[in-house]
Amino acid sequence: MKQQTAQMRWEKRMQTPLLALALVFAVAYTVPIVAPGAPSFVHRACQVAEWVVWGTFAVDYLVRLSLAPGKWLFLRSHPLDLLAVLLPLVQPLRLLRLVSTLLLVGRRARMAPQITLTTYVGGAVVGLMMFGSLAVLQVERDAPGGNIKTLGDAVWWSFTTMTTVGYGDHSPTTGLGRLLAVGLMISGIALLGVVTANIAAWFISRFERDDAEERRQTALLEALTAEVRGLRAEVARLSGAPLSGAPEVPGPSSPRS
């Protein structure tokens, strides 16, 4: 129990710093793609920042693992976290660092108590669209025969891909770009399902509250009706019986002949 409390304290303490580092990663990932002609030291600084952010998330995972009361249970219940930590070590691709950091940030955002489901889904949509646009632009911009050459083209392609519209005016031509498209389509369908389920749950809960209020009012009316009937019966009983101790009033005498 003491180790579990220490794990919870660590997760609460690291929540805000890790989310702030996620913003640093977003800037470090964006700058070299949006400004490819920037000085070389800017590109090196962004690369170092990306590795530092990923390394911090990896250390956070290892600390949580060490504080967990059941190590094997923690590993089995956090497979995506482990994959995100190991993924950039397999092959030092910038895209793998992006995927792993997004997984780790998403996990941390779900754990934050101040982040509601609506905020999480909205942030996930914006994050996936932004990073999907940057990633496909990086892959497709210099590809021969590619038609995604500007950031505007990439954003439009991400939007149509996530919503599964797919106009076909812009599409990836490389294998890695098509792999990004598959991931973005699956993510878009999943997020759309979450949004639809959330809206349906809200309507159902609203209808249940209305039904409960209607049943409560009906029960009150039935109780009031029963009380009124009882009062009417009591009034009728009292008005039909003579008062005890009251003198009998004689009726009119018949006339003498």
Side-chain angles (χ1 to χ4, degrees):
M1 186 67 181
K2 185 177 180 181
Q3 289 180 336
Q4 187 176 6
T5 303
Q7 178 189 356
M8 293 172 62
R9 287 200 304 267
W10 170 266
E11 291 176 349
K12 184 177 180 180
R13 189 182 304 117
M14 292 298 294
Q15 198 71 256
T16 302
L18 289 178
L19 293 179
L21 284 176
L23 297 178
V24 175
F25 179 87
V27 174
Y29 186 82
T30 303
V31 169
I33 299 176
V34 177
S40 59
F41 73 89
V42 174
H43 288 265
R44 286 196 300 269
C46 292
Q47 186 177 11
V48 170
E50 291 177 14
W51 279 110
V52 168
V53 172
W54 169 83
T56 305
F57 275 96
V59 170
D60 171 70
Y61 174 82
L62 295 177
V63 172
R64 289 163 54 209
L65 176 61
S66 65
L67 295 176
K71 305 296 187 294
W72 178 242
L73 179 61
F74 183 86
L75 289 172
R76 287 190 304 173
S77 58
H78 300 80
L80 290 180
D81 291 7
L82 179 61
L83 178 64
V85 170
L86 298 179
L87 194 60
L89 299 178
V90 178
Q91 186 177 357
L93 284 178
R94 197 157 179 257
L95 185 59
L96 294 181
R97 290 200 302 275
L98 169 64
V99 174
S100 63
T101 306
L102 286 178
L103 290 175
L104 292 171
V105 171
R107 172 67 180 177
R108 272 317 209 159
R110 286 196 303 270
M111 293 169 59
Q114 67 271 20
I115 296 181
T116 61
L117 178 62
T118 304
T119 306
Y120 174 76
V121 172
V125 169
V126 174
L128 283 173
M129 186 175 299
M130 181 183 69
F131 286 111
S133 302
L134 294 172
V136 79
L137 179 61
Q138 181 187 14
V139 172
E140 295 289 327
R141 180 161 48 192
D142 299 327
N147 52 25
I148 302 177
K149 300 296 184 180
T150 64
L151 184 60
D153 294 340
V155 171
W156 172 250
W157 171 83
S158 296
F159 188 83
T160 57
T161 302
M162 285 194 66
T163 55
T164 66
V165 175
Y167 286 109
D169 51 350
H170 295 288
S171 59
T173 57
T174 63
L176 191 55
R178 290 170 180 171
L179 185 62
L180 284 171
V182 171
L184 208 58
M185 284 185 285
I186 294 176
S187 302
I189 293 172
L191 289 173
L192 182 61
V194 171
V195 172
T196 304
N198 194 24
I199 294 175
W202 182 83
F203 276 110
I204 291 174
S205 63
R206 182 64 181 269
F207 292 152
E208 288 178 350
R209 286 198 302 268
D210 293 343
D211 291 342
E213 181 66 20
E214 185 178 354
R215 287 194 297 268
R216 188 181 68 84
Q217 293 179 359
T218 302
L220 289 176
L221 288 175
E222 290 177 353
L224 183 60
T225 302
E227 186 176 354
V228 170
R229 287 176 180 172
L231 290 175
R232 290 179 62 184
E234 185 69 15
V235 170
R237 185 182 66 81
L238 293 176
S239 62
L243 298 176
S244 59
E248 185 177 353
V249 180
S253 58
S254 57
R256 295 181 179 181
S257 56

